[in-house]
Amino acid sequence: MPLSMVGIGETQVIKKVGGREETRKFLESLGFVAGSAVIVVSEIGGNMIVNIKESRVAINRDMANKIMV
């Protein structure tokens, strides 16, 4: 399922990062790689704040839909 469907406080493991090549590279540079654990901290209006590799990152719904957990 996409990361956008994960509830607040849930921990999931990233299975795959989709999208165009430049989008995948950008997300990988933020730490969104297969096998990494991700925790949803909050969601406001479809935008999400997540903990990934001990950092907090804000992503929009379009980006979250490309990250499969």
Side-chain angles (χ1 to χ4, degrees):
M1 75 175 156
L3 182 61
S4 58
M5 303 284 288
V6 175
I8 294 171
E10 287 187 51
T11 301
Q12 296 286 331
V13 176
I14 296 173
K15 304 267 191 280
K16 179 184 137 186
V17 178
R20 295 188 315 212
E21 181 68 24
E22 63 222 28
T23 303
R24 285 196 312 270
K25 294 277 188 199
F26 175 71
L27 290 171
E28 287 173 6
S29 73
L30 293 175
F32 293 95
V33 293
S36 295
V38 61
I39 304 167
V40 176
V41 176
S42 69
E43 179 186 5
I44 300 168
N47 299 321
M48 305 180 91
I49 297 175
V50 298
N51 269 350
I52 182 105
K53 297 192 182 233
E54 300 182 18
S55 297
R56 283 193 176 189
V57 178
I59 56 173
N60 64 21
R61 179 174 285 289
D62 291 337
M63 293 284 188
N65 283 332
K66 292 176 174 55
I67 302 167
M68 295 297 158
V69 294

